[in-house]
Amino acid sequence: MPAADQPTTERGEQTRQRIVDAALELFEERGYAKTTMRAVADRAGVSLGNAYYYFGSKDHLVQGYYERMQAAHAEAARPALAGRTLLADRWVACEQAFLDVAERYHPFAGRFFAVAAEPSSPVNPFSDDSRPARDASIDIMRDVVTGARVKGDARLLTELPDLLWLAHMGLVLHWVHDGSPGQRRTRLLLRRTAPLLERLVGLSRLRPLRSSVHELLDLVADLRDGELDGSDDPDGAADAPGPAAAAPDERD
Amino acid sequence: MPAADQPTTERGEQTRQRIVDAALELFEERGYAKTTMRAVADRAGVSLGNAYYYFGSKDHLVQGYYERMQAAHAEAARPALAGRTLLADRWVACEQAFLDVAERYHPFAGRFFAVAAEPSSPVNPFSDDSRPARDASIDIMRDVVTGARVKGDARLLTELPDLLWLAHMGLVLHWVHDGSPGQRRTRLLLRRTAPLLERLVGLSRLRPLRSSVHELLDLVADLRDGELDGSDDPDGAADAPGPAAAAPDERD
DNA sequence: GTCTATAACTAGATAGAC
DNA sequence: GTCTATCTAGTTATAGAC
């Protein structure tokens, strides 16, 4: 298939950008389902076939969305964190920055999420292909933690950026399903969860909790070894089923 | 138009069942994407148009899969729970029963999961359409809890079935992305998480945790009011709503 | 009013020429 | 890299049979 990743020439890169721009515009105007590949190609000034040269499928277009969102969040988070020293405050500021930059895309974020949720998808957040974006996102979380004055179990604090990234994924999951105006319910969830986070981290040093926390951290580490995702290969378990038969590759 | 819910006649119900059977067979044989509606109709011995009379879209066929999975899980869970009195044991038995009955569908469960993850999808587990299946699933969890001899905060115990259902969803999320043979990693996660669950429930009565637990329960209740999903338009497009016919709806 | 079937339409995706 | 022509399959319209 075509160069879904890095177009080779200067001109190609421009064309690719034009297609992403057109797609995002149309997604915002009329939503994902109502945006046809033909319309995207038209607005980008290319032929239908040419659009498919750059993007293997309509779903691949959401990759552009993902990258921009990611960058916008990082940019918005930095100033929002400035001057805050409480872990809970920094966490809230970070996630509110996300909710703010993401709000305009909420109407069609569900589709993006569904595409990303598929294990075999290159944009699934746990995949190897997504490692750069994931690492960038975890960097934001590391910033949240290191800039805070917190006391807590040392090992927990080390792992906290990764855990906050998981929490971020959870918040996004709620956000995507949140039909309340301005995603007010997700903001509520965030504000009222944050103090609990702070308190739990504080309690992590105390006797009754510490051993449980360590068990949990051990488990996370064990699961991570042998890679986060484990899948990726279309069907790594192509062994189980019938005898002959083709090797039907669910791919799409 | 399409009687997606309850076919009215005996014969209709049979036809509906034949279509579900055919669809599940084909999904197992060649996966979701490679199964066409035409093939489903053919195998079921009905016309294409007829298949659409019963199922509003290809995605709706997935609901049949969920219902059966659900029923199979309930059936497998009951004997597995018999004789166990420890909460952690019961929880593990319940979820292992799920992993066992679901294993054969794992190769294409990712696709189904992606379909279900979409907020506007009728099969998304938080939607109104899924309430029957969800309630049935929560009933299993209630069985897990009520059959156990546990001490814990009273309010927490009341909400525990709902919370365990959420935990179940989380396990499924991990399972879907788990490429290890026999989904071994998910089983590991389950076994090592269960004791923590038991301990946390036990600790929920103690001073440092109790107030946090109550705050969490309050939050969950608040989020649930105003409905679980918050979906835009559960199924408004199914019946002609108002004046004009066209109800442009971002079905996605 | 409850079902069933045929034909047509739309849009995602591919093939192959330039 | 880009195009035009074409294929495929989800979906809809509609006519008619129990």
Side-chain angles (χ1 to χ4, degrees):
Chain A
M1 273 290 175
D5 283 309
Q6 304 294 348
T8 28
T9 77
E10 164 76 18
R11 177 125 168 273
E13 174 58 26
Q14 281 177 0
T15 305
R16 190 188 147 90
Q17 272 318 109
R18 276 213 315 282
I19 296 171
V20 175
D21 287 339
L24 289 183
E25 275 174 37
L26 287 165
F27 290 165
E28 271 192 82
E29 280 174 32
R30 47 176 92 151
Y32 183 82
K34 289 224 162 80
T35 298
T36 68
M37 286 297 280
R38 284 165 177 82
V40 171
D42 269 5
R43 182 166 302 195
V46 301
S47 71
L48 177 62
N50 196 207
Y52 274 100
Y53 174 78
Y54 287 100
F55 296 92
S57 77
K58 189 179 171 182
D59 285 350
H60 278 77
L61 286 171
V62 306
Q63 235 160 7
Y65 161 78
Y66 187 67
E67 285 157 14
R68 290 185 189 200
M69 190 77 116
Q70 170 60 45
H73 181 203
E75 193 176 347
R78 225 164 310 265
L81 289 173
R84 297 176 199 276
T85 57
L86 220 60
L87 178 64
D89 284 351
R90 292 176 69 81
W91 166 247
V92 169
C94 171
E95 294 304 287
Q96 273 178 347
F98 171 81
L99 295 175
D100 290 340
V101 303
E103 181 161 1
R104 63 193 288 213
Y105 302 114
H106 185 268
F108 61 91
R111 179 61 196 205
F112 155 75
F113 181 76
V115 170
E118 189 153 359
S120 63
S121 162
V123 294
N124 128 40
F126 299 98
S127 75
D128 269 357
D129 278 355
S130 298
R131 180 173 297 272
R134 184 168 68 244
D135 286 346
S137 196
I138 293 177
D139 278 346
I140 305 178
M141 301 306 164
R142 200 182 323 280
D143 191 7
V144 168
V145 174
T146 57
R149 287 194 290 106
V150 261
K151 289 199 196 314
D153 177 82
R155 269 192 68 200
L156 175 62
L157 290 181
T158 307
E159 301 290 339
L160 204 49
D162 282 31
L163 297 175
L164 287 184
W165 178 77
L166 277 177
H168 172 69
M169 290 289 110
L171 196 80
V172 170
L173 172 61
H174 186 275
W175 174 77
V176 156
H177 286 87
D178 184 357
S180 64
Q183 294 78 58
R184 155 157 44 82
R185 296 224 317 282
T186 300
R187 291 172 190 273
L188 180 73
L189 172 64
L190 172 61
R191 279 198 310 276
R192 290 179 54 181
T193 305
L196 295 173
L197 164 74
E198 179 111 36
R199 192 168 334 156
L200 221 58
V201 170
L203 289 174
S204 65
R205 287 173 308 168
L206 300 186
R207 190 61 35 71
L209 267 188
R210 197 176 48 196
S211 63
S212 292
V213 168
H214 279 198
E215 271 176 58
L216 212 56
L217 292 174
D218 288 341
L219 174 58
V220 170
D222 286 351
L223 288 175
R224 190 160 36 197
D225 296 346
E227 106 228 72
L228 240 177
D229 179 18
S231 76
D232 240 12
D233 192 295
D235 25 35
D239 44 290
D249 197 318
E250 181 73 271
R251 256 302 127 182
D252 193 2
Chain B
M1 258 173 303
D5 285 309
Q6 305 293 349
T8 29
T9 77
E10 165 77 18
R11 179 125 168 274
E13 174 58 26
Q14 281 176 359
T15 304
R16 191 187 146 89
Q17 272 319 110
R18 278 214 312 283
I19 295 171
V20 175
D21 287 339
L24 289 184
E25 277 174 37
L26 287 165
F27 290 164
E28 269 193 84
E29 283 174 30
R30 45 176 92 149
Y32 181 79
K34 288 223 163 82
T35 298
T36 70
M37 287 295 281
R38 284 163 178 86
V40 171
D42 270 5
R43 182 165 303 194
V46 302
S47 71
L48 177 62
N50 197 205
Y52 274 100
Y53 175 78
Y54 288 101
F55 296 91
S57 75
K58 188 179 173 184
D59 285 354
H60 279 79
L61 286 171
V62 174
Q63 218 151 23
Y65 162 78
Y66 280 119
E67 283 159 14
R68 293 193 180 195
M69 191 77 115
Q70 163 58 41
H73 181 202
E75 194 175 346
R78 227 166 308 269
L81 289 173
R84 296 176 201 275
T85 56
L86 220 60
L87 178 65
D89 284 352
R90 293 175 69 80
W91 166 247
V92 168
C94 171
E95 293 305 286
Q96 273 177 348
F98 171 81
L99 295 175
D100 290 340
V101 303
E103 182 161 0
R104 62 193 287 215
Y105 301 114
H106 187 267
F108 58 92
R111 254 284 134 70
F112 281 9
F113 180 75
V115 170
E118 194 154 354
S120 63
S121 164
V123 297
N124 124 44
F126 299 98
S127 77
D128 270 357
D129 278 357
S130 299
R131 180 174 298 272
R134 183 169 66 243
D135 285 347
S137 196
I138 292 175
D139 279 345
I140 305 177
M141 301 308 163
R142 202 183 323 282
D143 190 8
V144 168
V145 174
T146 58
R149 289 194 288 108
V150 260
K151 289 198 197 316
D153 177 81
R155 270 191 68 200
L156 176 62
L157 290 179
T158 308
E159 300 291 339
L160 205 49
D162 283 32
L163 297 175
L164 286 184
W165 178 77
L166 277 177
H168 173 68
M169 289 290 110
L171 198 79
V172 170
L173 172 61
H174 186 275
W175 175 77
V176 157
H177 286 87
D178 185 357
S180 64
Q183 295 76 57
R184 156 158 43 82
R185 295 224 318 282
T186 301
R187 292 173 188 273
L188 179 73
L189 172 64
L190 172 62
R191 280 198 311 276
R192 289 179 54 181
T193 305
L196 294 174
L197 165 72
E198 180 111 36
R199 193 169 332 157
L200 220 57
V201 171
L203 290 174
S204 65
R205 288 171 307 167
L206 301 185
R207 190 62 32 74
L209 267 188
R210 198 175 47 197
S211 62
S212 291
V213 167
H214 281 198
E215 271 177 59
L216 213 54
L217 292 174
D218 288 341
L219 175 58
V220 170
D222 286 350
L223 289 175
R224 192 160 34 199
D225 296 345
E227 102 228 73
L228 238 176
D229 180 18
S231 78
D232 356 75
D233 176 21
D235 215 328
D239 333 85
D249 197 316
E250 174 79 84
R251 271 291 102 163
D252 273 64

